Amino acid sequence: MKISVIQPDISWENKSRNYQKLSGLISPLFNKTDIVILPEMFNTGFSMNPEQLSEPPDGETFKWMKSIAEEGNFGLCGSYIVIENKNFFNRWVFVSRENDVWHYDKRHLFSMGNEDKLFSAGKSRLIFTFRGVRISPYICYDLRFPVWGRNREESDLIIYAANWPESRLSVWNILLRARAIENQCYVAGSNRTGTDGEGIRYCGDSLIINPRGEIISSAGTDSECSVSVEISLTELSVFRKKFPVLNDADDFTIKI
């Protein structure tokens, strides 16, 4: 499978401009990749203005994603603000040309930014299969909580969509590599660049990491771009059999 990560400078609370910008970054990947990964709140930036920016599950952003995925012949994913049953969610959505639709609601809401006061937390993990690869998605702050993302040999690829500030960039890099090592999975992290409407600076460093914790593709810092790489389930299987760490993992139960 070929996966691609998009690293944009997100225009603050301007959906139409972000659709246009992202379309330009994504279109060179049409018919050349299997999955395109966008950052957290890719259509607005990390805004705490859900009353004005939220959409129903089948709203304009979902329709835009579906159109791009169908034209590009790939799965397209990222998070944006959704309202459902009068609750706001930071929701990661996956759509594909095959009409696959999956979603995951951010579990760990960023309390230092008051996200927990405005949004409802997700209550379940998501693991699904697309084109033969088992995928588990998470959103930004979830990265700091390894128990929630623990792989019990259910996943081949873990995805993190983020708006991760430049001031904590080294943490982003370290934790992504740690999640790959401890879970013996491929890990893809999509982050943004630029400065948001709150004056918070981001510099990207979107990464794709192999199960050994080695960076196999990097978008670097401060540039709008995409990076792509082939991941191999055969190589993953061989590595897990040769070094079967997950066989010795502790059992546990997560209580919501």
Side-chain angles (χ1 to χ4, degrees):
M1 170 178 278
K2 190 171 187 178
I3 62 174
S4 301
V5 173
I6 303 295
Q7 180 169 284
D9 181 350
I10 301 172
S11 297
W12 185 247
E13 297 184 348
N14 191 327
K15 293 182 184 181
S16 60
R17 184 176 296 175
N18 287 315
Y19 298 150
Q20 183 178 18
K21 178 180 293 187
L22 289 167
S23 294
L25 289 169
I26 295 170
S27 60
L29 300 171
F30 283 4
N31 296 303
K32 296 179 181 178
T33 192
D34 293 292
I35 296 178
V36 175
I37 302 166
L38 303 177
E40 178 184 27
M41 292 195 189
F42 63 82
N43 62 345
T44 61
F46 189 64
S47 172
M48 296 297 100
N49 188 14
E51 289 190 0
Q52 292 187 21
L53 298 174
S54 62
E55 306 175 21
D58 60 350
E60 62 173 323
T61 299
F62 178 83
K63 291 181 173 65
W64 174 82
M65 292 180 71
K66 194 170 188 299
S67 174
I68 295 291
E70 288 176 352
E71 189 175 1
N73 187 28
F74 45 56
L76 178 63
C77 57
S79 93
Y80 59 96
I81 304 171
V82 170
I83 184 169
E84 191 170 30
N85 299 323
K86 298 182 180 180
N87 293 311
F88 300 118
F89 297 95
N90 184 346
R91 177 167 291 179
W92 184 93
V93 176
F94 179 98
V95 299
S96 76
R97 186 175 183 178
E98 294 92 327
N99 291 317
D100 295 297
V101 178
W102 301 92
H103 77 262
Y104 162 77
D105 294 326
K106 188 177 183 180
R107 172 63 184 164
H108 297 92
L109 302 175
F110 189 57
S111 57
M112 283 78 86
N114 294 321
E115 187 180 16
D116 60 321
K117 294 180 174 61
L118 298 167
F119 291 80
S120 296
K123 295 183 178 180
S124 61
R125 301 197 311 160
L126 170 65
I127 300 170
F128 66 99
T129 300
F130 177 68
R131 298 186 183 178
V133 175
R134 299 172 300 172
I135 300 169
S136 185
Y138 301 96
I139 302 173
C140 204
Y141 194 41
D142 286 330
L143 179 60
R144 289 182 176 268
F145 301 93
V147 174
W148 184 245
R150 185 65 170 156
N151 177 33
R152 296 178 174 179
E153 298 190 69
E154 313 111 325
S155 303
D156 307 309
L157 170 64
I158 296 175
I159 293 173
Y160 287 96
N163 274 206
W164 199 280
E166 180 181 42
S167 60
R168 295 185 287 277
L169 187 63
S170 63
V171 178
W172 163 257
N173 190 295
I174 292 167
L175 291 182
L176 284 175
R177 296 180 70 183
R179 297 296 88 84
I181 293 168
E182 70 196 9
N183 291 306
Q184 291 193 313
C185 277
Y186 288 99
V187 169
S190 178
N191 194 26
R192 63 161 296 178
T193 64
T195 302
D196 70 15
E198 302 295 336
I200 298 171
R201 168 80 180 152
Y202 306 84
C203 66
D205 204 25
S206 300
L207 301 172
I208 302 172
I209 300 165
N210 71 18
R212 293 179 174 82
E214 299 163 342
I215 296 170
I216 53 177
S217 190
S218 171
T221 58
D222 298 318
S223 63
E224 290 189 291
C225 62
S226 69
V227 291
S228 301
V229 73
E230 293 273 357
I231 64 172
S232 170
L233 295 188
T234 300
E235 291 181 10
L236 176 61
S237 178
V238 168
F239 175 59
R240 286 177 172 173
K241 289 177 181 177
K242 184 177 180 180
F243 195 62
V245 171
L246 298 180
N247 291 347
D248 299 321
D250 300 302
D251 195 17
F252 60 90
T253 301
I254 297 175
K255 294 182 179 180
I256 304 299

